[in-house]
Amino acid sequence: MYGWLPPKYHVWVAPPKLLRESQRDAGDQAGGMEQCVWRRHVSDQLKQRDRVQRQAFEELIHQYTRLLEKSDLQAVLSERYQADKYELQRGHEGGSDGLLQQEVSLMRIRHQEELTELHKKRGELAQNVIELNNQIQQKDKLIQSNEAKMLQYQQQISGLEGDCRDLRGLLQDLERANQTLKDEYDALQITFCALEEKLRKTSEDNQELVCRWMAEKSQEANKLNAENEKDTRRRQAKLQKELADAAKEPLPIDPDDDIEVLAEEAGKGGGETSPSRALSRTPSKKTAQPPPGGLLDSISSIFGRRAHPYSSSPEGSEAPSGVCAEVRVPTTAIHVFDAHDGEVNAVSFSPGSRLLATGGMDRKVKLWEVVSGRCEPKGSLTGSNAGITSIEFDSAGSFLLAASNDFASRLWTVEDSRLRHTLTGHSGKVLSARFLLDNTRIVSGSYDRTLKLWDLRSKVCMKTVFAGSSCNDIVCTEQCVMSGHFDKKVRFWDIRAESMVQELQLQGRVTSLDLNHDRTELLSCSRDDLLSIIDLRTVSVRHTLSTQGFKCGADWTRVTFSPDGCYVAGGSADGALYIWNVLTGKVERTLDRSHSSAINSVSWSPSGAYVVSVEKSSKAILWSDISAINSVSWSPSGAYVVSVEKSSKARGNQGR
């Protein structure tokens, strides 16, 4: 046995690169602890990595130490073996050489095997060292990449912190501006409340002044009526005195005159009878003197002179409207024609029923002459820049008014088809425009929720009223304007007071309004598929008209009264034309085989002979009761129309 040498202890020394990094980190920590906090974090991470990776190298260091120990042992054994060899050689001379040689050979073989095994382990350890070095290099590269990313992230953080500071400053500015706006809003709200209160007081004062003014007007009217009655009694007394004086004067009698003697009772003055006398005779040869001027003046001032009703109409105008003698419910489509290039929105008869006007989305108003049950084209009115929404003739048939989608209303003369006025001022499309009864003023309603009153003589807007909702249709009386709105209300406006008198809530959006001939009932159509008859004396719905199948097709669907107010005509979304009886409230007739799309508007001729309907396509249809009327003829003046029935009867109606 050979003695065992004490092992040599080896101290592990960190790689120079790690030492440099640690020294650099330590220097950075000492110099810039307060400035760069992240460096401390990197140093801690490196120390942590040193502690973690040291465990992987401990086994390698232990094996390496054992290898060095075995190498030193081999050197010692080699020296010892060499000494033993010399001793054996010297002892060979004096002893047995065979046994020594065998032991030496066995020992050499064993030592050779141990040396081979040690070389093998040394190679494995060297390979492990190479692999670990490669891993260390990869980790170094990863650390460098992470440091670059950290630097980049640090720059981004710095930029984001600057952005945050800017945003905080902007937020403070916005908060200050918001507070300023809030203060201004509060001030404006206080001002608005004060103005609203002032407006309310002004309205009350105005209403009081109007009431006082009406009372004074009533007193003045009563005084004027009393003075007129006094003047009338005075003139009647003067007339009676003149008649009495004339009766007392003797009448000279010419012998050549033929006298006719009549018996007369003097019925005046206490019932006394006077003797019979000659009261009338044949014309005398002498010229009779005219009666005093005061007599004729008194009679004319009391009763007035009645001129021909159409003598003051301008040239080319139609006769003023009258009440038709009889209205016939249409049964058949007698003429179907294409009225416009596209959708037809409006239709209206002239007061004399001889002309028909249609308005469409092709920006034109077309005039048609109704001749023998057909509509012959008469002319076209141009000048609009958008589709026509409503049309109306004035009471004389001389002018035609149309509203359009280009925010304007226009007035043409029918005779020469010339554009006379363009009324602009609305900020939305004009959905309806109507004449007042004096034909010198116009009321228009628009999508901009306002109503405007226009004076045709000065061509300016006299008043603007804010209604609060889009106005779809308008009708007018002497001093009242009725408007139908998108918010399901019918509003009544006093033109003189420039204020709303009353409003009526319906169940659907109002699309159409129409008055009967005596202006006591108002017809409305709404999107809930109901037609309402409103009593204007009580401003309430008297009854409603509806039927299965009737659908209101659009917000501008127009319905109409018959000229005598006994029937109502309305078109449905399915193209059917319905005729209701106002008295019974039931459908009188349904005409549903001619239109191919929704009916937009219906108009009944003032003569009562025709009904015309227009649809969303280009078609218009003229309806009539041809089973009862064989022929129709107009008078040369346009004032009368004559219809001949199958029963050999002729009827004459005054034109409207």
PDB file of all heavy atoms in Angstrom, residues 394 399-401 409-412 420-423 434-436 438-443 453-462:
ATOM      1  N   ASP A 394    -105.473  80.981 -57.046  1.00  0.00           N
ATOM      2  CA  ASP A 394    -106.169  82.000 -56.278  1.00  0.00           C
ATOM      3  C   ASP A 394    -107.659  81.915 -56.575  1.00  0.00           C
ATOM      4  O   ASP A 394    -108.106  81.138 -57.420  1.00  0.00           O
ATOM      5  CB  ASP A 394    -105.605  83.391 -56.587  1.00  0.00           C
ATOM      6  CG  ASP A 394    -105.932  83.849 -57.993  1.00  0.00           C
ATOM      7  OD1 ASP A 394    -106.146  82.980 -58.867  1.00  0.00           O
ATOM      8  OD2 ASP A 394    -105.974  85.071 -58.225  1.00  0.00           O
ATOM      9  N   PHE A 399    -103.841  83.428 -60.838  1.00  0.00           N
ATOM     10  CA  PHE A 399    -102.486  83.145 -60.372  1.00  0.00           C
ATOM     11  C   PHE A 399    -102.421  81.722 -59.826  1.00  0.00           C
ATOM     12  O   PHE A 399    -103.429  81.164 -59.359  1.00  0.00           O
ATOM     13  CB  PHE A 399    -102.067  84.137 -59.281  1.00  0.00           C
ATOM     14  CG  PHE A 399    -101.967  85.556 -59.745  1.00  0.00           C
ATOM     15  CD1 PHE A 399    -103.050  86.422 -59.611  1.00  0.00           C
ATOM     16  CD2 PHE A 399    -100.810  86.036 -60.328  1.00  0.00           C
ATOM     17  CE1 PHE A 399    -102.972  87.730 -60.035  1.00  0.00           C
ATOM     18  CE2 PHE A 399    -100.716  87.344 -60.754  1.00  0.00           C
ATOM     19  CZ  PHE A 399    -101.799  88.193 -60.619  1.00  0.00           C
ATOM     20  N   LEU A 400    -101.221  81.174 -59.873  1.00  0.00           N
ATOM     21  CA  LEU A 400    -100.976  79.845 -59.316  1.00  0.00           C
ATOM     22  C   LEU A 400     -99.777  79.924 -58.381  1.00  0.00           C
ATOM     23  O   LEU A 400     -98.725  80.458 -58.752  1.00  0.00           O
ATOM     24  CB  LEU A 400    -100.722  78.808 -60.411  1.00  0.00           C
ATOM     25  CG  LEU A 400    -100.622  77.350 -59.921  1.00  0.00           C
ATOM     26  CD1 LEU A 400    -101.332  76.421 -60.900  1.00  0.00           C
ATOM     27  CD2 LEU A 400     -99.168  76.911 -59.781  1.00  0.00           C
ATOM     28  N   LEU A 401     -99.938  79.394 -57.179  1.00  0.00           N
ATOM     29  CA  LEU A 401     -98.898  79.404 -56.146  1.00  0.00           C
ATOM     30  C   LEU A 401     -98.388  77.986 -55.935  1.00  0.00           C
ATOM     31  O   LEU A 401     -99.187  77.050 -55.825  1.00  0.00           O
ATOM     32  CB  LEU A 401     -99.470  79.954 -54.835  1.00  0.00           C
ATOM     33  CG  LEU A 401     -98.561  79.938 -53.604  1.00  0.00           C
ATOM     34  CD1 LEU A 401     -97.354  80.848 -53.804  1.00  0.00           C
ATOM     35  CD2 LEU A 401     -99.354  80.346 -52.369  1.00  0.00           C
ATOM     36  N   SER A 409     -91.130  79.620 -52.322  1.00  0.00           N
ATOM     37  CA  SER A 409     -92.463  79.551 -52.926  1.00  0.00           C
ATOM     38  C   SER A 409     -92.479  80.477 -54.134  1.00  0.00           C
ATOM     39  O   SER A 409     -91.826  81.533 -54.121  1.00  0.00           O
ATOM     40  CB  SER A 409     -93.545  79.970 -51.918  1.00  0.00           C
ATOM     41  OG  SER A 409     -93.506  79.173 -50.761  1.00  0.00           O
ATOM     42  N   ARG A 410     -93.240  80.095 -55.166  1.00  0.00           N
ATOM     43  CA  ARG A 410     -93.248  80.869 -56.411  1.00  0.00           C
ATOM     44  C   ARG A 410     -94.673  81.121 -56.870  1.00  0.00           C
ATOM     45  O   ARG A 410     -95.570  80.299 -56.626  1.00  0.00           O
ATOM     46  CB  ARG A 410     -92.463  80.137 -57.509  1.00  0.00           C
ATOM     47  CG  ARG A 410     -90.958  80.135 -57.242  1.00  0.00           C
ATOM     48  CD  ARG A 410     -90.201  79.265 -58.231  1.00  0.00           C
ATOM     49  NE  ARG A 410     -88.769  79.387 -58.038  1.00  0.00           N
ATOM     50  CZ  ARG A 410     -88.092  78.715 -57.127  1.00  0.00           C
ATOM     51  NH1 ARG A 410     -88.732  77.865 -56.345  1.00  0.00           N
ATOM     52  NH2 ARG A 410     -86.775  78.888 -56.995  1.00  0.00           N
ATOM     53  N   LEU A 411     -94.845  82.269 -57.561  1.00  0.00           N
ATOM     54  CA  LEU A 411     -96.154  82.694 -58.048  1.00  0.00           C
ATOM     55  C   LEU A 411     -96.064  82.934 -59.542  1.00  0.00           C
ATOM     56  O   LEU A 411     -95.189  83.673 -60.012  1.00  0.00           O
ATOM     57  CB  LEU A 411     -96.592  83.967 -57.317  1.00  0.00           C
ATOM     58  CG  LEU A 411     -98.017  84.457 -57.588  1.00  0.00           C
ATOM     59  CD1 LEU A 411     -99.023  83.507 -56.965  1.00  0.00           C
ATOM     60  CD2 LEU A 411     -98.202  85.861 -57.034  1.00  0.00           C
ATOM     61  N   TRP A 412     -96.974  82.271 -60.300  1.00  0.00           N
ATOM     62  CA  TRP A 412     -97.045  82.438 -61.745  1.00  0.00           C
ATOM     63  C   TRP A 412     -98.414  83.024 -62.124  1.00  0.00           C
ATOM     64  O   TRP A 412     -99.401  82.846 -61.394  1.00  0.00           O
ATOM     65  CB  TRP A 412     -96.903  81.100 -62.465  1.00  0.00           C
ATOM     66  CG  TRP A 412     -95.552  80.467 -62.429  1.00  0.00           C
ATOM     67  CD1 TRP A 412     -94.522  80.624 -63.304  1.00  0.00           C
ATOM     68  CD2 TRP A 412     -95.082  79.515 -61.456  1.00  0.00           C
ATOM     69  NE1 TRP A 412     -93.449  79.848 -62.952  1.00  0.00           N
ATOM     70  CE2 TRP A 412     -93.754  79.159 -61.813  1.00  0.00           C
ATOM     71  CE3 TRP A 412     -95.633  78.945 -60.314  1.00  0.00           C
ATOM     72  CZ2 TRP A 412     -92.998  78.255 -61.085  1.00  0.00           C
ATOM     73  CZ3 TRP A 412     -94.874  78.043 -59.587  1.00  0.00           C
ATOM     74  CH2 TRP A 412     -93.577  77.709 -59.963  1.00  0.00           C
ATOM     75  N   ARG A 420     -93.849  85.383 -61.652  1.00  0.00           N
ATOM     76  CA  ARG A 420     -93.982  86.750 -61.170  1.00  0.00           C
ATOM     77  C   ARG A 420     -93.165  87.014 -59.905  1.00  0.00           C
ATOM     78  O   ARG A 420     -92.494  88.028 -59.800  1.00  0.00           O
ATOM     79  CB  ARG A 420     -95.456  87.053 -60.889  1.00  0.00           C
ATOM     80  CG  ARG A 420     -96.327  86.997 -62.134  1.00  0.00           C
ATOM     81  CD  ARG A 420     -95.928  88.069 -63.126  1.00  0.00           C
ATOM     82  NE  ARG A 420     -96.789  88.035 -64.320  1.00  0.00           N
ATOM     83  CZ  ARG A 420     -96.671  88.872 -65.340  1.00  0.00           C
ATOM     84  NH1 ARG A 420     -95.716  89.802 -65.314  1.00  0.00           N
ATOM     85  NH2 ARG A 420     -97.471  88.785 -66.377  1.00  0.00           N
ATOM     86  N   HIS A 421     -93.237  86.106 -58.933  1.00  0.00           N
ATOM     87  CA  HIS A 421     -92.550  86.330 -57.663  1.00  0.00           C
ATOM     88  C   HIS A 421     -91.882  85.035 -57.213  1.00  0.00           C
ATOM     89  O   HIS A 421     -92.408  83.943 -57.445  1.00  0.00           O
ATOM     90  CB  HIS A 421     -93.516  86.792 -56.565  1.00  0.00           C
ATOM     91  CG  HIS A 421     -94.299  88.013 -56.918  1.00  0.00           C
ATOM     92  ND1 HIS A 421     -93.715  89.195 -57.302  1.00  0.00           N
ATOM     93  CD2 HIS A 421     -95.642  88.225 -56.946  1.00  0.00           C
ATOM     94  CE1 HIS A 421     -94.656  90.084 -57.549  1.00  0.00           C
ATOM     95  NE2 HIS A 421     -95.836  89.517 -57.349  1.00  0.00           N
ATOM     96  N   THR A 422     -90.744  85.168 -56.551  1.00  0.00           N
ATOM     97  CA  THR A 422     -90.068  84.070 -55.863  1.00  0.00           C
ATOM     98  C   THR A 422     -89.854  84.505 -54.422  1.00  0.00           C
ATOM     99  O   THR A 422     -89.133  85.460 -54.155  1.00  0.00           O
ATOM    100  CB  THR A 422     -88.722  83.724 -56.521  1.00  0.00           C
ATOM    101  OG1 THR A 422     -88.952  83.329 -57.880  1.00  0.00           O
ATOM    102  CG2 THR A 422     -88.040  82.587 -55.772  1.00  0.00           C
ATOM    103  N   LEU A 423     -90.493  83.813 -53.498  1.00  0.00           N
ATOM    104  CA  LEU A 423     -90.468  84.170 -52.083  1.00  0.00           C
ATOM    105  C   LEU A 423     -89.496  83.253 -51.352  1.00  0.00           C
ATOM    106  O   LEU A 423     -89.756  82.055 -51.181  1.00  0.00           O
ATOM    107  CB  LEU A 423     -91.871  84.044 -51.483  1.00  0.00           C
ATOM    108  CG  LEU A 423     -92.982  84.775 -52.252  1.00  0.00           C
ATOM    109  CD1 LEU A 423     -94.338  84.509 -51.628  1.00  0.00           C
ATOM    110  CD2 LEU A 423     -92.704  86.274 -52.306  1.00  0.00           C
ATOM    111  N   ARG A 434    -100.290  78.748 -49.158  1.00  0.00           N
ATOM    112  CA  ARG A 434    -101.708  78.997 -49.426  1.00  0.00           C
ATOM    113  C   ARG A 434    -101.971  80.503 -49.514  1.00  0.00           C
ATOM    114  O   ARG A 434    -101.337  81.307 -48.836  1.00  0.00           O
ATOM    115  CB  ARG A 434    -102.579  78.405 -48.317  1.00  0.00           C
ATOM    116  CG  ARG A 434    -102.530  76.891 -48.214  1.00  0.00           C
ATOM    117  CD  ARG A 434    -103.278  76.221 -49.363  1.00  0.00           C
ATOM    118  NE  ARG A 434    -103.286  74.781 -49.228  1.00  0.00           N
ATOM    119  CZ  ARG A 434    -102.442  73.976 -49.832  1.00  0.00           C
ATOM    120  NH1 ARG A 434    -101.487  74.489 -50.609  1.00  0.00           N
ATOM    121  NH2 ARG A 434    -102.521  72.670 -49.671  1.00  0.00           N
ATOM    122  N   PHE A 435    -102.965  80.870 -50.364  1.00  0.00           N
ATOM    123  CA  PHE A 435    -103.460  82.238 -50.439  1.00  0.00           C
ATOM    124  C   PHE A 435    -104.384  82.502 -49.254  1.00  0.00           C
ATOM    125  O   PHE A 435    -105.147  81.623 -48.833  1.00  0.00           O
ATOM    126  CB  PHE A 435    -104.265  82.452 -51.725  1.00  0.00           C
ATOM    127  CG  PHE A 435    -103.431  82.592 -52.963  1.00  0.00           C
ATOM    128  CD1 PHE A 435    -103.301  81.535 -53.845  1.00  0.00           C
ATOM    129  CD2 PHE A 435    -102.785  83.782 -53.258  1.00  0.00           C
ATOM    130  CE1 PHE A 435    -102.550  81.657 -54.996  1.00  0.00           C
ATOM    131  CE2 PHE A 435    -102.033  83.917 -54.409  1.00  0.00           C
ATOM    132  CZ  PHE A 435    -101.912  82.849 -55.278  1.00  0.00           C
ATOM    133  N   LEU A 436    -104.324  83.732 -48.715  1.00  0.00           N
ATOM    134  CA  LEU A 436    -105.395  84.195 -47.845  1.00  0.00           C
ATOM    135  C   LEU A 436    -106.574  84.626 -48.716  1.00  0.00           C
ATOM    136  O   LEU A 436    -106.452  84.757 -49.943  1.00  0.00           O
ATOM    137  CB  LEU A 436    -104.909  85.348 -46.975  1.00  0.00           C
ATOM    138  CG  LEU A 436    -103.903  84.968 -45.873  1.00  0.00           C
ATOM    139  CD1 LEU A 436    -103.488  86.206 -45.102  1.00  0.00           C
ATOM    140  CD2 LEU A 436    -104.496  83.940 -44.931  1.00  0.00           C
ATOM    141  N   ASP A 438    -107.984  87.382 -49.258  1.00  0.00           N
ATOM    142  CA  ASP A 438    -107.880  88.625 -50.013  1.00  0.00           C
ATOM    143  C   ASP A 438    -106.960  88.508 -51.225  1.00  0.00           C
ATOM    144  O   ASP A 438    -106.842  89.466 -52.008  1.00  0.00           O
ATOM    145  CB  ASP A 438    -107.397  89.756 -49.103  1.00  0.00           C
ATOM    146  CG  ASP A 438    -106.068  89.409 -48.431  1.00  0.00           C
ATOM    147  OD1 ASP A 438    -105.484  88.356 -48.761  1.00  0.00           O
ATOM    148  OD2 ASP A 438    -105.628  90.192 -47.575  1.00  0.00           O
ATOM    149  N   ASN A 439    -106.295  87.354 -51.389  1.00  0.00           N
ATOM    150  CA  ASN A 439    -105.410  87.080 -52.538  1.00  0.00           C
ATOM    151  C   ASN A 439    -104.209  88.025 -52.616  1.00  0.00           C
ATOM    152  O   ASN A 439    -103.487  88.022 -53.613  1.00  0.00           O
ATOM    153  CB  ASN A 439    -106.167  87.149 -53.869  1.00  0.00           C
ATOM    154  CG  ASN A 439    -107.147  86.004 -54.019  1.00  0.00           C
ATOM    155  OD1 ASN A 439    -106.972  84.946 -53.431  1.00  0.00           O
ATOM    156  ND2 ASN A 439    -108.198  86.231 -54.794  1.00  0.00           N
ATOM    157  N   THR A 440    -103.985  88.848 -51.606  1.00  0.00           N
ATOM    158  CA  THR A 440    -102.821  89.738 -51.600  1.00  0.00           C
ATOM    159  C   THR A 440    -101.764  89.282 -50.600  1.00  0.00           C
ATOM    160  O   THR A 440    -100.688  89.863 -50.545  1.00  0.00           O
ATOM    161  CB  THR A 440    -103.244  91.164 -51.250  1.00  0.00           C
ATOM    162  OG1 THR A 440    -103.833  91.183 -49.940  1.00  0.00           O
ATOM    163  CG2 THR A 440    -104.235  91.692 -52.273  1.00  0.00           C
ATOM    164  N   ARG A 441    -102.083  88.263 -49.836  1.00  0.00           N
ATOM    165  CA  ARG A 441    -101.136  87.734 -48.858  1.00  0.00           C
ATOM    166  C   ARG A 441    -101.058  86.219 -48.981  1.00  0.00           C
ATOM    167  O   ARG A 441    -102.019  85.573 -49.435  1.00  0.00           O
ATOM    168  CB  ARG A 441    -101.536  88.126 -47.434  1.00  0.00           C
ATOM    169  CG  ARG A 441    -101.428  89.609 -47.152  1.00  0.00           C
ATOM    170  CD  ARG A 441    -101.911  89.943 -45.762  1.00  0.00           C
ATOM    171  NE  ARG A 441    -103.332  89.677 -45.596  1.00  0.00           N
ATOM    172  CZ  ARG A 441    -103.989  89.759 -44.443  1.00  0.00           C
ATOM    173  NH1 ARG A 441    -103.336  90.111 -43.350  1.00  0.00           N
ATOM    174  NH2 ARG A 441    -105.270  89.501 -44.372  1.00  0.00           N
ATOM    175  N   ILE A 442     -99.924  85.693 -48.589  1.00  0.00           N
ATOM    176  CA  ILE A 442     -99.642  84.261 -48.706  1.00  0.00           C
ATOM    177  C   ILE A 442     -99.081  83.780 -47.377  1.00  0.00           C
ATOM    178  O   ILE A 442     -98.307  84.478 -46.724  1.00  0.00           O
ATOM    179  CB  ILE A 442     -98.636  83.990 -49.845  1.00  0.00           C
ATOM    180  CG1 ILE A 442     -99.302  84.213 -51.202  1.00  0.00           C
ATOM    181  CG2 ILE A 442     -98.077  82.567 -49.772  1.00  0.00           C
ATOM    182  CD1 ILE A 442     -98.336  84.113 -52.352  1.00  0.00           C
ATOM    183  N   VAL A 443     -99.453  82.574 -46.982  1.00  0.00           N
ATOM    184  CA  VAL A 443     -98.890  81.913 -45.807  1.00  0.00           C
ATOM    185  C   VAL A 443     -98.173  80.657 -46.272  1.00  0.00           C
ATOM    186  O   VAL A 443     -98.727  79.872 -47.050  1.00  0.00           O
ATOM    187  CB  VAL A 443     -99.973  81.554 -44.777  1.00  0.00           C
ATOM    188  CG1 VAL A 443     -99.358  80.824 -43.592  1.00  0.00           C
ATOM    189  CG2 VAL A 443    -100.692  82.792 -44.303  1.00  0.00           C
ATOM    190  N   LEU A 453     -95.704  84.856 -43.221  1.00  0.00           N
ATOM    191  CA  LEU A 453     -96.774  85.605 -43.884  1.00  0.00           C
ATOM    192  C   LEU A 453     -96.127  86.576 -44.861  1.00  0.00           C
ATOM    193  O   LEU A 453     -95.282  87.391 -44.477  1.00  0.00           O
ATOM    194  CB  LEU A 453     -97.615  86.354 -42.847  1.00  0.00           C
ATOM    195  CG  LEU A 453     -98.742  87.232 -43.390  1.00  0.00           C
ATOM    196  CD1 LEU A 453     -99.783  86.377 -44.107  1.00  0.00           C
ATOM    197  CD2 LEU A 453     -99.381  88.031 -42.262  1.00  0.00           C
ATOM    198  N   TRP A 454     -96.527  86.489 -46.144  1.00  0.00           N
ATOM    199  CA  TRP A 454     -95.921  87.290 -47.212  1.00  0.00           C
ATOM    200  C   TRP A 454     -96.951  88.261 -47.768  1.00  0.00           C
ATOM    201  O   TRP A 454     -98.135  87.923 -47.905  1.00  0.00           O
ATOM    202  CB  TRP A 454     -95.419  86.397 -48.347  1.00  0.00           C
ATOM    203  CG  TRP A 454     -94.524  85.279 -47.920  1.00  0.00           C
ATOM    204  CD1 TRP A 454     -94.892  84.047 -47.478  1.00  0.00           C
ATOM    205  CD2 TRP A 454     -93.086  85.284 -47.896  1.00  0.00           C
ATOM    206  NE1 TRP A 454     -93.813  83.287 -47.177  1.00  0.00           N
ATOM    207  CE2 TRP A 454     -92.678  84.010 -47.425  1.00  0.00           C
ATOM    208  CE3 TRP A 454     -92.119  86.226 -48.227  1.00  0.00           C
ATOM    209  CZ2 TRP A 454     -91.337  83.670 -47.284  1.00  0.00           C
ATOM    210  CZ3 TRP A 454     -90.784  85.886 -48.093  1.00  0.00           C
ATOM    211  CH2 TRP A 454     -90.401  84.626 -47.622  1.00  0.00           C
ATOM    212  N   ASP A 455     -96.475  89.462 -48.112  1.00  0.00           N
ATOM    213  CA  ASP A 455     -97.307  90.474 -48.772  1.00  0.00           C
ATOM    214  C   ASP A 455     -96.896  90.514 -50.237  1.00  0.00           C
ATOM    215  O   ASP A 455     -95.743  90.824 -50.569  1.00  0.00           O
ATOM    216  CB  ASP A 455     -97.103  91.838 -48.116  1.00  0.00           C
ATOM    217  CG  ASP A 455     -98.066  92.879 -48.655  1.00  0.00           C
ATOM    218  OD1 ASP A 455     -98.874  92.535 -49.550  1.00  0.00           O
ATOM    219  OD2 ASP A 455     -98.021  94.033 -48.196  1.00  0.00           O
ATOM    220  N   LEU A 456     -97.843  90.195 -51.149  1.00  0.00           N
ATOM    221  CA  LEU A 456     -97.515  90.152 -52.573  1.00  0.00           C
ATOM    222  C   LEU A 456     -97.323  91.541 -53.159  1.00  0.00           C
ATOM    223  O   LEU A 456     -96.677  91.683 -54.198  1.00  0.00           O
ATOM    224  CB  LEU A 456     -98.620  89.407 -53.337  1.00  0.00           C
ATOM    225  CG  LEU A 456     -98.757  87.914 -53.016  1.00  0.00           C
ATOM    226  CD1 LEU A 456     -99.872  87.306 -53.848  1.00  0.00           C
ATOM    227  CD2 LEU A 456     -97.448  87.189 -53.275  1.00  0.00           C
ATOM    228  N   ARG A 457     -97.877  92.565 -52.520  1.00  0.00           N
ATOM    229  CA  ARG A 457     -97.712  93.910 -53.068  1.00  0.00           C
ATOM    230  C   ARG A 457     -96.304  94.440 -52.814  1.00  0.00           C
ATOM    231  O   ARG A 457     -95.691  95.033 -53.697  1.00  0.00           O
ATOM    232  CB  ARG A 457     -98.762  94.842 -52.462  1.00  0.00           C
ATOM    233  CG  ARG A 457    -100.182  94.520 -52.917  1.00  0.00           C
ATOM    234  CD  ARG A 457    -101.217  95.235 -52.094  1.00  0.00           C
ATOM    235  NE  ARG A 457    -101.241  94.739 -50.723  1.00  0.00           N
ATOM    236  CZ  ARG A 457    -102.186  95.029 -49.832  1.00  0.00           C
ATOM    237  NH1 ARG A 457    -103.191  95.815 -50.189  1.00  0.00           N
ATOM    238  NH2 ARG A 457    -102.140  94.551 -48.607  1.00  0.00           N
ATOM    239  N   SER A 458     -95.792  94.208 -51.603  1.00  0.00           N
ATOM    240  CA  SER A 458     -94.432  94.664 -51.306  1.00  0.00           C
ATOM    241  C   SER A 458     -93.388  93.582 -51.505  1.00  0.00           C
ATOM    242  O   SER A 458     -92.193  93.851 -51.433  1.00  0.00           O
ATOM    243  CB  SER A 458     -94.371  95.159 -49.856  1.00  0.00           C
ATOM    244  OG  SER A 458     -94.727  94.125 -48.958  1.00  0.00           O
ATOM    245  N   LYS A 459     -93.823  92.327 -51.710  1.00  0.00           N
ATOM    246  CA  LYS A 459     -92.935  91.186 -51.971  1.00  0.00           C
ATOM    247  C   LYS A 459     -91.982  90.938 -50.808  1.00  0.00           C
ATOM    248  O   LYS A 459     -90.826  90.559 -51.010  1.00  0.00           O
ATOM    249  CB  LYS A 459     -92.137  91.390 -53.260  1.00  0.00           C
ATOM    250  CG  LYS A 459     -92.984  91.679 -54.478  1.00  0.00           C
ATOM    251  CD  LYS A 459     -92.115  91.961 -55.689  1.00  0.00           C
ATOM    252  CE  LYS A 459     -92.938  92.398 -56.869  1.00  0.00           C
ATOM    253  NZ  LYS A 459     -92.116  92.725 -58.051  1.00  0.00           N
ATOM    254  N   VAL A 460     -92.436  91.142 -49.589  1.00  0.00           N
ATOM    255  CA  VAL A 460     -91.593  90.940 -48.418  1.00  0.00           C
ATOM    256  C   VAL A 460     -92.339  90.055 -47.422  1.00  0.00           C
ATOM    257  O   VAL A 460     -93.566  89.899 -47.492  1.00  0.00           O
ATOM    258  CB  VAL A 460     -91.210  92.277 -47.741  1.00  0.00           C
ATOM    259  CG1 VAL A 460     -90.369  93.120 -48.668  1.00  0.00           C
ATOM    260  CG2 VAL A 460     -92.454  93.034 -47.289  1.00  0.00           C
ATOM    261  N   CYS A 461     -91.579  89.496 -46.496  1.00  0.00           N
ATOM    262  CA  CYS A 461     -92.144  88.688 -45.414  1.00  0.00           C
ATOM    263  C   CYS A 461     -92.606  89.623 -44.304  1.00  0.00           C
ATOM    264  O   CYS A 461     -91.803  90.375 -43.738  1.00  0.00           O
ATOM    265  CB  CYS A 461     -91.112  87.688 -44.911  1.00  0.00           C
ATOM    266  SG  CYS A 461     -91.673  86.694 -43.512  1.00  0.00           S
ATOM    267  N   MET A 462     -93.882  89.585 -43.987  1.00  0.00           N
ATOM    268  CA  MET A 462     -94.433  90.461 -42.968  1.00  0.00           C
ATOM    269  C   MET A 462     -94.240  89.903 -41.562  1.00  0.00           C
ATOM    270  O   MET A 462     -93.928  90.640 -40.639  1.00  0.00           O
ATOM    271  CB  MET A 462     -95.923  90.681 -43.230  1.00  0.00           C
ATOM    272  CG  MET A 462     -96.228  91.322 -44.576  1.00  0.00           C
ATOM    273  SD  MET A 462     -97.986  91.303 -44.945  1.00  0.00           S
ATOM    274  CE  MET A 462     -98.640  92.217 -43.562  1.00  0.00           C
TER     275      MET A 462
END
